């Protein structure tokens, strides 16, 4: 979860997590200890994000210049472009190695500060640090929110025509445009996250979800009160089955509040505490971890 980038936090915290993992694997620092590869300790996408974006040359406004470029593309001009691309890729690889070496050095320095910490203590500190994220314990799916629209009375399994994306509610931070999001399925609620952001854009306890299911093989529908949220995803079946499992489990824990309809389609009003208020994520170093 951490290495896949599903724990949005600072690089400092990610380095601390990597140091705790080294402590749990190898105990105290030693030059003879086996070192995992950096990508086994630290999210690779963080290093790639440090690289400068490729510069795009503005198109020439001269029609004659464009024509000459087209005529020479298969000759010397094409060879020059290929050489420039190779040089640029080599520079980026060198920069990536430098960033990786710098990050590994910072991780090792934090590892040295953990001397004397036992393996169980290091593992407990690691988990405590990750658990501070409000989305911990949820299963996250990469989805594209394609439409939010007033709920229609279409039958199950029928395709939903796409509509203009509209805000879910006046208080919802979901904007008016297609968005790539994380859909977090948890035991107590469903949440929508902007990738890399620690706080959810919106959270729906199961009492607000009136129905859900597949509109087609690549579109998942989540009906929240009087709105339909349509997500494009390749994991429609996985999302549906996980929601069914959580709803069935919630019903088992609360036998005095039986559902009036199948939990996969119309969950009952949730018991108290099923959808607690979300509080801002404030990082606090766990006991036994680095003090600074």
């Amino acid at each position: 979860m951490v290495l896949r980038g599903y724990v949005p936090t600072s690089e400092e915290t990610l380095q601390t997590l990597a140091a705790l993992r080294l402590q749990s694997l190898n105990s105290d620092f030693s030059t003879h200890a086996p070192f995992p590869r950096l990508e086994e300790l630290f999210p690779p996408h963080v290093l790639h994000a440090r690289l400068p974006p490729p510069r795009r040359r503005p198109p020439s406004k001269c029609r004659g210049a464009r024509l000459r470029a087209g005529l020479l593309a298969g000759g010397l001009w094409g060879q020059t472009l290929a050489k420039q691309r190779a040089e640029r890729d080599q520079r980026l690889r060198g920069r990536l190695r430098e960033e990786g070496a710098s990050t590994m050095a910072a991780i090792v320095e934090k590892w040295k500060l953990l001397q004397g910490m036992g393996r169980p203590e290091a593992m407990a500190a690691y988990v405590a640090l990750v658990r501070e994220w409000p989305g911990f314990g949820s299963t996250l799916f990469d989805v594209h929110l394609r439409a939010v629209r007033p709920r229609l009375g279409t039958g199950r399994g029928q395709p939903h025509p796409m509509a203009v994306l509209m805000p879910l509610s006046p208080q919802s931070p979901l904007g008016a445009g297609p968005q790539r999001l994380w859909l977090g399925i948890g035991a107590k609620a469903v949440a929508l996250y902007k990738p890399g952001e620690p706080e959810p854009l919106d959270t729906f306890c199961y009492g607000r979800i009136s129905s859900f299911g597949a509109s087609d093989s690549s579109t998942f529908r989540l009906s929240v009160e009087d709105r339909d949220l349509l997500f494009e995803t390749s994991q429609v079946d996985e999302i549906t089955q996980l929601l069914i499992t959580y709803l069935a489990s919630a019903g088992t824990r609360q036998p005095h509040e039986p559902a009036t309809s199948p939990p996969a389609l119309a969950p009952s009003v949730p018991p108290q505490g099923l959808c607690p208020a979300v509080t801002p994520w404030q990082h606090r170093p766990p006991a036994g971890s680095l003090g600074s």
Side-chain angles (χ1 to χ4, degrees):
M1 187 174 180
V2 174
L3 297 181
R4 292 173 61 190
Y6 281 155
V7 178
T9 185
S10 66
E11 289 193 31
E12 185 78 12
T13 301
L14 291 173
Q15 292 173 7
T16 300
L17 290 170
L20 287 167
R21 188 159 187 265
L22 283 173
Q23 185 71 14
S24 67
L25 290 173
N26 300 327
S27 188
D28 292 343
F29 168 79
S30 170
T31 56
H32 302 292
F35 273 75
R37 294 180 301 174
L38 181 60
E39 53 266 31
E40 297 175 4
L41 298 171
F42 194 83
H45 77 276
V46 177
L47 298 180
H48 286 275
R50 298 179 188 173
L51 301 180
R55 291 182 297 178
R56 294 186 177 182
R57 300 181 63 181
S60 174
K61 297 182 179 180
C62 177
R63 185 174 181 274
R66 290 199 303 269
L67 180 60
R68 288 193 298 272
L71 293 175
L72 294 174
L76 295 177
W77 182 246
Q79 296 176 9
T80 301
L81 289 178
K83 182 179 179 181
Q84 290 176 350
R85 283 195 295 267
E87 292 174 350
R88 182 194 62 199
D89 292 343
Q90 185 176 2
R91 287 195 300 269
L92 290 177
R93 286 194 296 268
R95 174 72 181 276
L96 192 60
R97 285 193 296 269
E98 292 175 1
E99 295 291 346
S102 174
T103 299
M104 180 60 85
I107 292 172
V108 170
E109 289 303 313
K110 288 179 169 56
W111 181 20
K112 292 177 180 178
L113 297 177
L114 298 176
Q115 185 173 0
M117 179 182 287
R119 184 172 185 270
E121 188 181 0
M123 294 176 63
Y126 184 101
V127 173
L129 199 56
V130 176
R131 283 178 66 93
E132 292 183 4
W133 179 46
F136 176 79
S138 300
T139 302
L140 299 181
F141 298 91
D142 284 301
V143 299
H144 280 82
L145 178 61
R146 292 302 186 188
V148 179
R149 65 174 195 187
R151 184 154 55 92
L152 302 177
T154 55
R156 184 183 180 187
Q158 296 181 3
H160 286 252
M162 290 298 179
V164 176
L165 193 65
M166 56 184 294
L168 184 63
S169 67
Q171 296 78 26
S172 176
L174 291 176
Q179 303 173 64
R180 176 179 173 265
L181 301 173
W182 289 342
L183 178 66
I185 309 296
K188 298 180 180 180
V190 175
L192 292 175
Y193 295 89
K194 184 177 180 180
E197 296 293 332
E199 304 297 336
L201 292 172
D202 215 333
T203 302
F204 316 119
C205 60
Y206 287 123
R208 295 179 60 192
I209 299 175
S210 54
S211 66
F212 61 89
S215 294
D216 54 51
S217 60
S218 62
T219 303
F220 176 75
R221 173 182 51 81
L222 185 69
S223 297
V224 179
E225 296 171 342
D226 61 344
R227 292 288 185 268
D228 279 345
L229 287 76
L230 302 180
F231 301 97
E232 182 178 320
T233 174
S234 61
Q235 297 177 289
V236 173
D237 292 339
E238 292 89 337
I239 295 172
T240 302
Q241 290 301 320
L242 191 58
L243 279 171
I244 291 174
T245 300
Y246 276 135
L247 286 168
S249 177
T252 301
R253 291 197 304 267
Q254 300 291 335
H256 60 282
E257 293 188 6
T260 57
S261 58
L265 297 178
S268 59
V269 176
Q272 291 183 354
L274 191 59
C275 191
V278 177
T279 57
W281 185 28
Q282 298 179 352
H283 166 61
R284 298 179 300 278
S289 67
L290 303 182
S292 59

